[in-house]
Amino acid sequence: MGIFDYFRQPRQKSASVAKERLQIIVARERAARSGPDYLPAMQQELLQVIRKYVQVDDDAVQMNVDREGDCEVLELNITLPDDKE
Amino acid sequence: MARIVVITSGKGGVGKTTTSAAIATGLALRGHKTAVIDFDVGLRNLDLIMGCERRVVYDFVNVINGDANLKQALIRDKRVDNLFILPASQTRDKDALSQEGVERVLNELSEDFDFIVCDSPAGIERGALMAAYFADEAIVVTNPEVSSVRDSDRILGILASKTRKVEQGGDPIPGRLLLTRYAPERVERGEMLSIEDVGEILAIDLLGVIPESQAVLNASNAGQPVVLDEESDAGQAYQDAVARFLGEERPLRFVDVPKKGFFGRLFKG
Ligand SMILES: Nc1ncnc2c1ncn2[C@@H]1O[C@H](COP(=O)(O)OP(=O)(O)OP(=O)(O)O)[C@@H](O)[C@H]1O
Ligand SMILES: [Mg+2]
């Protein structure tokens, strides 16, 4: 797809793109707010540790704290690069 | 006891001051004794929107510091009975709004006002936190645009944790959404987030929708709160919002693209 095709795409897209992006970021920020204070620092450190072994993107580590009854579950998601070069 | 309502948004320039002026004026028009306070220390603007900039003698910080009493600082509106303005200070001292000072002024106002409307500055710093801290409820002003919606959500997070009510072990204060600068044509073309989109993301009750309107600029040029422009779309939309705020039911207006006129209908395509 060339650059002109991009601009020729139906306009309808921009509001729904906006909505999708917002849904993701707002959910992430809410999770960060409700989680423990050490979460952001821990996330950064984990990122550094992982980078000792494999080069990953800044947003490769996603953390989420869920409450299940009395239990707090820390969900950790690490996205590794898909193609090995 | 007054009901204290904070007009807040996180993001700057979305219409908080316009809304504070309109809601406060609307409440006073309906006979409620209302004070509207500018919390934007250093960037006083509510006075201009209310058209009383030349009558400012003392300000909020003067009252906090005891340089003036409330009676001296409150500006009585010349058009609408029961409406008073407390202007912001132009000081550069960010700590001028001490929590004890703000509390004292709000307590004193509470004694003989029905409503206190707090016009919050943008951001999440002291002025904004102080405007929200003592509130009983919040109106979150949001534009249908990504950064405004995201910031509104952050403000909702602050409202959920950093108010006196919550710190004293109470429930978070209720916050309602006022979606402003809404352009139905652009929503219909898919260029702008719709009421439903924003509502779905923020998940709070909707107080109203104010259309993007030339009347707002006209009103601020003249120093007349737009709600006094009874013919205008924005003025009427603010009237509806005030009515809902007071518990009345009002259908949403100005949220659809105007129907085609007679000829449009004749040749409907
Ligand atoms: N419904 C509307 N239609 C058109 N213009 C609007 C509308 N609401 C606000 N505006 C314009 O947007 C600008 C910002 O409005 P306003 O000063 O009320 O925002 P604010 O949130 O108080 O800004 P700040 O964060 O700087 O305090 C002004 O120029 C105002 O005229
Ligand atoms: Mg303002």
Side-chain angles (χ1 to χ4, degrees), chain B residues 5-18:
Chain B
V5 47
V6 59
I7 315 292
T8 186
S9 71
K11 187 172 159 65
V14 297
K16 294 178 293 296
T17 301
T18 303

Side-chain angles (χ1 to χ4, degrees), chain A residues 11 15 19 23 29-30 33, chain B residues 150 153 190-191 200-201:
Chain A
R11 285 187 171 173
K19 185 181 178 186
Q23 281 171 324
E29 287 175 347
R30 278 183 196 161
R33 271 204 304 269
Chain B
R150 178 204 211 167
D153 195 68
E191 300 168 5
E200 201 181 307
I201 290 162

Side-chain angles (χ1 to χ4, degrees), chain B residues 10-200:
Chain B
K11 187 172 159 65
V14 297
K16 294 178 293 296
T17 301
T18 303
T19 297
S20 300
I23 299 277
T25 305
L27 288 168
L29 280 172
R30 286 162 155 262
H32 302 287
K33 193 170 179 189
T34 303
V36 55
I37 307 181
D38 190 345
F39 275 77
D40 206 341
V41 171
L43 292 171
R44 175 197 292 164
N45 270 325
L46 181 67
D47 57 339
L48 270 179
I49 302 304
M50 295 295 299
C52 64
E53 69 279 4
R54 297 203 309 203
R55 297 166 63 208
V56 175
V57 183
Y58 295 111
D59 59 52
F60 194 7
V61 170
N62 290 144
V63 179
I64 287 177
N65 292 342
D67 304 331
N69 61 40
L70 255 179
K71 262 212 182 79
Q72 294 171 302
L74 280 174
I75 302 171
R76 174 193 285 272
D77 191 89
K78 287 191 169 162
R79 298 154 297 212
V80 181
D81 282 343
N82 294 317
L83 180 59
F84 294 80
I85 300 107
L86 184 56
S89 162
Q90 293 287 41
T91 175
R92 287 164 166 225
D93 176 11
K94 282 202 170 167
D95 299 326
L97 291 182
S98 67
Q99 183 166 312
E100 306 73 44
V102 173
E103 180 169 24
R104 219 178 332 109
V105 173
L106 291 179
N107 282 346
E108 194 178 335
L109 280 172
S110 269
E111 282 167 21
D112 58 11
F113 280 85
D114 301 318
F115 289 98
I116 302 172
V117 176
C118 303
D119 179 15
S120 174
I124 49 178
E125 313 218 325
R126 184 166 199 95
L129 295 180
M130 280 302 108
Y133 189 74
F134 297 99
D136 298 307
E137 58 200 296
I139 296 176
V140 179
V141 180
T142 308
N143 292 165
E145 175 269 320
V146 283
S147 51
S148 174
V149 175
R150 178 204 211 167
D151 287 359
S152 292
D153 195 68
R154 299 183 71 186
I155 279 294
L156 286 168
I158 287 172
L159 291 173
S161 60
K162 295 205 159 61
T163 64
R164 175 169 63 175
K165 288 249 155 69
V166 174
E167 286 184 2
Q168 291 177 347
D171 290 331
I173 64 170
R176 280 184 282 181
L177 169 68
L178 188 70
L179 194 58
T180 68
R181 310 199 69 162
Y182 195 71
E185 323 70 57
R186 304 188 64 188
V187 173
E188 196 175 84
R189 290 200 298 265
E191 300 168 5
M192 183 182 266
L193 292 163
S194 68
I195 304 168
E196 294 74 22
D197 292 340
V198 180
E200 201 181 307

